[in-house]
Amino acid sequence: MTVTAPATTAERPRLAPVLVVLPALNEAESIAPVIAEVRSHQPAADVLVVDDGSTDRTADVARAAGARVMSLPFNLGVGGAMRAAYRFAYEEGYDCVVQVDADGQHDPSDIGRLREALVGADVVIGARFAGVGDYAVRGPRRWAMRLLASTLSRLVGTPITDPTSGFRMVNANALALFAFDFPEEYLGDTVEALVLASRAHLRIAQVPVAMRERTAGTPSQNAFRSSAYLARVVTAIVLAVARRAPIVRPGSTAEASAA
């Protein structure tokens, strides 16, 4: 696993207040405009694209657009990509990390609002079902998400309407936890991560955000996957409850090199 600098000779600060992480799998068509939009709203931030085993030119396009790129040797899924990103951010000394979709569905203008909410929380979720926007899901997936939101809200002790949102920001407290103990399995990176944070006595909050259409590519969901979602949600809840207590380690052995 290597982390490379963007394809630019411009002088840039070593660290920025915020690290914006874009986990990406075959997002060559959308990644450049997403990076540009992030930079327009967060000019002081660093942008890290985690190329999760892409078979297209995602890494090259991201680097040319000015982002740092972490190339994973094979596809680990969003959970594995974010765990690698959190470890890198911890090693580099960042104290604020925000995850943003590489397909353009998240609005980078909302990053500032998440940052404001982070003043009173350790983990802030950009929630799609909190009264902003018209994003909606139907059928078994809708029932599953309602069940998940209700159950998880009780588990963590705070109202959460969108526990599977991939638009979230963490501070140094949560980063120290997630850098070493972040769930990698399907739904673990969203559902289990929140339970993990709660059990570590971290504060969780949400900010209403609007979801946008993908700028390129096609959604991964289909009728069969939507029907299977309910079973996966139940499994994720069981695993989250059964998971061992988290440990926040003071040190690190991460291997990430800058070229």
Side-chain angles (χ1 to χ4, degrees), residues 1-50:
M1 177 180 69
T2 59
V3 181
T4 59
T8 177
T9 57
E11 193 70 24
R12 58 195 296 277
R14 178 175 179 274
L15 293 180
V18 179
L19 177 66
V20 181
V21 177
L22 306 175
L25 173 63
N26 296 329
E27 297 288 0
E29 294 182 29
S30 64
I31 194 69
V34 172
I35 292 171
E37 190 175 12
V38 167
R39 289 205 176 282
S40 71
H41 292 287
Q42 295 290 322
D46 276 351
V47 180
L48 174 68
V49 173
V50 183

Side-chain angles (χ1 to χ4, degrees), residues 40-71:
S40 71
H41 292 287
Q42 295 290 322
D46 276 351
V47 180
L48 174 68
V49 173
V50 183
D51 178 22
D52 191 19
S54 297
T55 57
D56 64 3
R57 298 184 62 253
T58 293
D60 293 336
V61 173
R63 196 175 295 111
R68 300 191 75 179
V69 177
M70 174 185 289
S71 295

Side-chain angles (χ1 to χ4, degrees), residues 9-10 32 37 59 63-64 88 94 113 183 247 255-256:
T9 57
E37 190 175 12
R63 196 175 295 111
F88 170 77
Y94 289 93
R113 297 174 54 233
I247 300 173
E255 296 180 358

Side-chain angles (χ1 to χ4, degrees), residues 125-129 145 149 160-166 168 194 206 209:
I125 305 165
R128 296 166 291 182
F129 313 112
M145 295 188 79
I160 296 176
T161 62
D162 190 9
T164 62
S165 171
R168 55 182 65 189
L194 293 177
Q206 69 175 26
V209 298

